[in-house]
Amino acid sequence: MQYQTFLSKRYLKRRWAPWAAALAVALGVFSLISVLAVMEGFKLEMKERIRGSLSHVVVKGSAMRMLVGEDPLLEAARETAGVEAASPFIETLAIYRSTVLDYCILRGIDPSSEPKVSDFGLYLLSDEEIDRLQADRFLMLPDDRPPPDPQRVSEMFSLERRRQMLRWRLRGDPSVGFDEQAPPQGLVVGIEALRSGRLALGDVVQLSSYSPVSYEPRIGQFIVVGAFQSGVYEQDQRWAYSDIRALQQILDLWDDEAQDMRITGISLRLSDYSQANQIREQVQQEIGRRMELDPTDGDAIPWRSMEIKTWEEQRENLLQAVEIEKRIIAAMMLLIVAFAAAMIFLILMLLVIEKNRDLGVLRALGATRSGVVILVLKQGMFLCITGAVFGLLGGWLLIENINQIHELLYLATGVRLFPPDIYYLEKIPAHLRWQDMVLVCAPTLIFGFLGSLLPALWAGRRDPIKALHHE
Amino acid sequence: MNDLQPSHPVLSARGLCREFSLTEGRSLEVLRHLDLDIHEAEMVAIVGLSGVGKSTLLHCIGLLDTPSSGQLIYHKDGQTWRSPGLDEAQRCALRNQFIGFVFQFFHLLNDLDVLENVMLPAIVGTPKAEWKQRKHEVEARARSLLDTVGLSGREKQAPGTLSGGERQRVAIARALINNPRLLLCDEPTGNLDSNTSEKIHTLLRQLHEDFGTSILVVTHDPDLASRADRRLAMIDGRFESAADGTDR
Ligand SMILES: Nc1ncnc2c1ncn2[C@@H]1O[C@H](COP(=O)(O)OP(=O)(O)OP(=O)(O)O)[C@@H](O)[C@H]1O
Ligand SMILES: [Mg+2]
């Protein structure tokens, strides 16, 4: 069964057309692999950034009734095995007026425990960093900044900081109308709000919202004391953080029935996120158990409806959009591979026609039908596999050096294929997964096989006598 | 050659029929109850008008075509194969080992050089596992065959650059590489001028005597026919007389 190898070598040695088919396969695999790797890298990067500003798991009450019993809630969560930290939060929509009228998603957090459940502490910028980021509109802080000081968040919302900002503000504009002894509440906004010029450090803004308790409009005065950069554009533009206690006061969240302040929910950090579903189940049980207890019991949590979600579930739509985008692109790009397989098909058909006589001679010399089928099939699969291997290799090389290549392209043509202001990325992220390689190679080989099988079967069915009849 | 010596027939055909079905339900009977024995070390020539079915007979004997009815029996070293009754693998093995083909149009593979063309039947017939150890033996035999047909030193040449006579010599060497029992030649010199033809005829006769291979040759060439041990005239799908002895 080795004459097939022998003959295939001789046939392929003298022809360039089959190699064009192999090249087409290589190009198809190459582009598919690169695109999938970049999409995957992009997805991971997105995910990482979204994850950073969210905690692993969130226990959330309904929008109107919210949750009460902050202390026993936190206690219940912290006592559950697998929960590393828990922190309360409030979330509301607010409108403010600066140069324009705009809205923000206002999050009230506990400055001391929030850094333990999310990366907010890491995203919080120093004054010097804010200057740098405002100077360069596309600058993104590197991931490997020194770990934040756990006190930073508390300092940011402290009276001291608010006074300092106000003092600095009053020097420029004495008409702000606040006394240094009683400064407004601190507000940390996203860097894009500063970059777009809507707000500036030290600005005193009036935020309007509604109290979910009294349904009355509520107004609070805040001073911009800091900024953060999460890397997710939408968040950096719209999210704002304040101290949870101040926000509770402003929104008038006192719950008469429970004789306690309401909160939107609590954020949890898990020791092992892969266990999220189990741990969530346990937290749910523990909180449920406490909600059943007699209200006089110290552990009791007043009953409210609630839901527990992982951060991925919270941002399901966004994450799924990226995933679906990736799938659609992969499906479209598979057309390239199918096209390459069609090329293999055509070239083998031509080869069978051209070598019709040779195949007849082979049959006369003792080759079996299946031997001839294998001869053609082998060539097709050889071309396909060679193409796939080179495509993979090329894709891998590109992915390894994608940023250097992008930089070279930029220097040569002055065009940025991947503008940092749109994707908010300094570097093109790329991540090659073996699943994606399988996803690319399996259809390539299947298409290649089908493309080779038809000409091969056809070659096997040809009548050797007819082939031998004419010169 | 001694005609009187009772030797085994290498090939026997009994009641061979071959019909081609044409359109409108009609059919063309090409071979009609044809009987033929070819003995060991015998050279038989078949002559006949064009279209009488000589090539068809050769294809049937060479197991490329299937007779409509009748039997073919092959003998080798006390072994017997009967067709019908052979599976595809056996038919291919017989084509490879038992039979050698020489065609009117040479049919060399242009992508291989001369030596590789001669070795081709051995390459096709040898399983992968055995090839490594057989390779040198096969190559040596191919070289000696090329030498016999007068083409030593041309091993690496491309077949496209050979003259017609040289190509046919290569084809003959190729047909003999597996040391077949029976050489089937279909108008081997039909495409060559008389001078070259004569040389091929001499070569065939000489190889026949040297190797003792039985030869069945279809020809229109009286010179080649006259060199055969036996000459059969084919008329109307069968032989004119079953044992028409030669006059030389
Ligand atoms: N596949 C086929 N279908 C129909 N008829 C066929 C087929 N093959 C051969 N024939 C017919 O069978 C007859 C014998 O053909 P064959 O080729 O055997 O003749 P031949 O004796 O070899 O002639 P020549 O000397 O010209 O080569 C011819 O009439 C031919 O038309
Ligand atoms: Mg003929």
Side-chain angles (χ1 to χ4, degrees):
Chain A
M1 277 300 164
Q2 28 74 58
Y3 67 92
Q4 288 98 348
T5 317
F6 171 73
L7 285 172
S8 299
K9 271 189 205 159
R10 289 296 184 281
Y11 283 156
L12 294 176
K13 210 161 109 182
R14 309 220 169 165
R15 286 169 182 76
W16 60 265
W19 297 107
L23 185 71
V25 173
L27 281 177
V29 168
F30 169 77
S31 26
L32 250 177
I33 274 289
S34 332
V35 166
L36 285 185
V38 171
M39 296 283 300
E40 182 65 25
F42 182 64
K43 192 179 109 187
L44 286 185
E45 186 75 33
M46 285 281 293
K47 233 176 141 171
E48 180 56 29
R49 290 181 188 185
I50 294 172
R51 188 201 64 71
S53 19
L54 300 172
S55 59
H56 285 154
V57 169
V58 162
V59 183
K60 212 170 169 181
S62 70
M64 279 318 184
R65 300 204 63 202
M66 306 172 76
L67 289 176
V68 279
E70 181 184 323
D71 293 335
L73 267 172
L74 290 175
E75 199 181 290
R78 285 176 185 146
E79 272 174 13
T80 309
V83 176
E84 218 170 68
S87 177
F89 72 94
I90 288 173
E91 199 176 71
T92 185
L93 268 178
I95 298 176
Y96 66 90
R97 187 179 60 81
S98 59
T99 49
V100 289
L101 201 61
D102 207 350
Y103 74 92
C104 65
I105 293 165
L106 184 57
R107 295 175 65 88
I109 53 162
D110 175 22
S112 59
S113 59
E114 179 68 18
K116 295 183 195 140
V117 297
S118 74
D119 285 346
F120 178 67
L122 182 67
Y123 294 153
L124 200 58
L125 303 168
S126 67
D127 294 350
E128 177 261 337
E129 281 168 338
I130 291 171
D131 287 343
R132 252 175 55 215
L133 287 174
Q134 278 192 286
D136 180 354
R137 216 157 66 76
F138 299 145
L139 185 64
M140 168 84 191
L141 286 179
D143 293 335
D144 49 359
R145 295 196 298 156
D149 174 3
Q151 292 304 309
R152 277 261 311 281
V153 180
S154 299
E155 279 164 18
M156 193 57 81
F157 290 104
S158 66
L159 187 62
E160 189 56 37
R161 169 83 180 171
R162 278 151 48 205
R163 277 187 180 151
Q164 181 197 339
M165 289 311 285
L166 185 64
R167 204 179 308 135
W168 181 73
R169 176 73 201 185
L170 286 171
R171 236 179 289 148
D173 176 15
S175 67
V176 170
F178 270 94
D179 181 8
E180 211 182 293
Q181 289 313 305
Q185 293 301 330
L187 189 71
V188 172
V189 296
I191 186 71
E192 294 303 324
L194 300 188
R195 277 175 170 172
S196 62
R198 273 170 222 178
L199 294 169
L201 271 188
D203 270 1
V204 173
V205 285
Q206 179 174 300
L207 289 180
S208 319
S209 189
Y210 274 84
S211 163
V213 179
S214 59
Y215 305 136
E216 291 295 321
R218 308 291 301 178
I219 289 168
Q221 303 286 345
F222 289 86
I223 181 163
V224 179
V225 290
F228 67 92
Q229 184 177 40
S230 69
V232 182
Y233 185 81
E234 171 211 305
Q235 293 176 7
D236 287 350
Q237 196 183 19
R238 294 258 179 256
W239 284 22
Y241 288 84
S242 77
D243 188 310
I244 187 169
R245 306 299 160 218
L247 202 56
Q248 279 174 332
Q249 292 294 332
I250 289 165
L251 290 179
D252 191 13
L253 291 183
W254 180 254
D255 191 293
D256 275 334
E257 189 187 320
Q259 289 293 303
D260 191 10
M261 276 292 185
R262 291 183 182 183
I263 54 173
T264 301
I266 56 174
S267 312
L268 310 180
R269 179 182 218 100
L270 310 183
S271 44
D272 179 6
Y273 181 68
S274 60
Q275 304 288 310
N277 278 328
Q278 265 162 271
I279 298 171
R280 171 171 66 174
E281 209 60 41
Q282 284 161 11
V283 172
Q284 175 125 39
Q285 268 174 24
E286 177 60 18
I287 294 177
R289 187 185 71 80
R290 287 181 183 231
M291 280 181 174
E292 302 282 304
L293 288 179
D294 189 74
T296 53
D297 193 321
D299 287 347
I301 301 171
W303 189 90
R304 291 285 191 276
S305 70
M306 56 156 186
E307 53 181 8
I308 307 191
K309 282 185 171 177
T310 62
W311 70 268
E312 279 170 304
E313 288 164 343
Q314 280 178 277
R315 285 314 200 85
E316 206 168 26
N317 293 342
L318 190 56
L319 293 174
Q320 247 173 21
V322 182
E323 180 63 37
I324 286 171
E325 200 179 348
K326 188 179 155 197
R327 276 187 220 161
I328 289 174
I329 288 184
M332 305 279 285
M333 306 262 305
L334 272 183
L335 287 177
I336 303 181
V337 176
F339 167 76
M343 210 158 145
I344 289 185
F345 169 78
L346 282 178
I347 275 167
L348 288 183
M349 280 315 241
L350 288 177
L351 191 84
V352 172
I353 292 169
E354 186 199 333
K355 290 289 147 198
N356 187 25
R357 203 197 55 167
D358 284 17
L359 297 177
V361 173
L362 281 172
R363 294 290 309 278
L365 296 182
T368 56
R369 247 177 223 284
S370 51
V372 170
V373 170
I374 290 171
L375 171 64
V376 178
L377 199 60
K378 214 167 185 171
Q379 289 183 56
M381 287 317 282
F382 173 76
L383 292 175
C384 185
I385 291 171
T386 313
V389 166
F390 277 95
L392 275 182
L393 213 67
W396 177 72
L397 281 177
L398 177 78
I399 289 158
E400 286 294 302
N401 302 301
I402 190 156
N403 285 299
Q404 288 92 313
I405 292 169
H406 185 231
E407 201 55 32
L408 280 181
L409 265 181
Y410 174 61
L411 290 179
T413 62
V415 179
R416 275 208 194 275
L417 297 175
F418 209 79
D421 55 331
I422 294 178
Y423 290 104
Y424 212 18
L425 296 168
E426 274 280 283
K427 287 193 291 184
I428 303 176
H431 180 72
L432 192 54
R433 294 193 312 167
W434 65 264
Q435 291 98 319
D436 286 333
M437 287 201 253
V438 171
L439 193 76
V440 172
C441 288
T444 305
L445 295 185
I446 291 170
F447 285 163
F449 179 75
L450 293 179
S452 318
L453 190 64
L454 289 173
L457 290 178
W458 187 56
R461 287 177 60 94
R462 307 210 83 179
D463 183 0
I465 298 172
K466 276 183 199 146
L468 292 169
H469 245 299
H470 21 236
E471 171 72 310
Chain B
M1 287 255 114
N2 192 346
D3 302 2
L4 298 173
Q5 197 182 329
S7 53
H8 246 306
V10 170
L11 168 91
S12 312
R14 291 283 169 269
L16 215 55
C17 293
R18 180 67 172 106
E19 273 179 57
F20 292 108
S21 46
L22 304 173
T23 46
E24 299 154 19
R26 293 193 298 128
S27 68
L28 179 68
E29 274 186 75
V30 177
L31 304 180
R32 302 181 188 192
H33 295 281
L34 181 144
D35 294 328
L36 173 67
D37 280 315
I38 296 170
H39 295 276
E40 213 160 299
E42 190 183 26
M43 180 167 171
V44 178
I46 297 179
V47 294
L49 295 174
S50 180
V52 81
K54 306 181 296 293
S55 295
T56 306
L57 173 65
L58 240 57
H59 291 147
C60 287
I61 294 174
L63 292 166
L64 285 170
D65 201 357
T66 320
S68 319
S69 67
Q71 206 177 30
L72 286 163
I73 303 143
Y74 303 82
H75 278 288
K76 181 184 177 184
D77 308 331
Q79 259 186 298
T80 307
W81 293 269
R82 276 165 210 279
S83 170
L86 300 174
D87 60 24
E88 161 88 352
Q90 284 171 316
R91 289 164 70 94
C92 290
L94 275 179
R95 278 207 295 271
N96 187 249
Q97 302 290 329
F98 191 94
I99 295 162
F101 270 108
V102 176
F103 308 98
Q104 181 180 356
F105 299 110
F106 328 128
H107 290 325
L108 300 178
L109 268 56
N110 287 325
D111 291 281
L112 311 183
D113 63 26
V114 166
L115 184 68
E116 289 167 340
N117 262 294
V118 175
M119 287 162 70
L120 189 60
I123 298 176
V124 169
T126 313
K128 188 172 189 154
E130 289 170 36
W131 178 245
K132 267 224 161 73
Q133 60 194 56
R134 273 205 68 195
K135 190 178 178 204
H136 293 285
E137 170 210 327
V138 168
E139 198 176 319
R141 183 170 161 78
R143 281 179 195 280
S144 93
L145 275 171
L146 277 174
D147 192 33
T148 315
V149 301
L151 284 174
S152 62
R154 314 287 281 272
E155 287 86 353
K156 291 293 154 202
Q157 204 168 334
T161 61
L162 294 174
S163 75
E166 287 166 343
R167 285 187 213 186
Q168 197 59 298
R169 284 159 191 270
V170 175
I172 292 169
R174 176 177 73 182
L176 291 172
I177 187 83
N178 276 343
N179 202 5
R181 281 297 123 128
L182 178 63
L183 199 60
L184 300 176
C185 311
D186 195 351
E187 301 184 38
T189 53
N191 235 22
L192 301 171
D193 64 69
S194 55
N195 213 342
T196 319
S197 297
E198 222 246 283
K199 285 185 191 150
I200 298 281
H201 299 158
T202 315
L203 175 68
L204 273 177
R205 186 71 214 182
Q206 181 213 327
L207 287 170
H208 168 63
E209 265 149 34
D210 289 354
F211 291 103
T213 311
S214 305
I215 300 183
L216 179 60
V217 56
V218 166
T219 185
H220 288 295
D221 193 322
D223 176 55
L224 180 55
S226 69
R227 290 174 194 251
D229 299 327
R230 219 159 24 118
R231 209 174 42 161
L232 300 173
M234 201 168 164
I235 296 171
D236 219 7
R238 59 207 305 177
F239 295 120
E240 193 182 29
S241 106
D244 181 15
T246 52
D247 28 22
R248 277 187 208 196

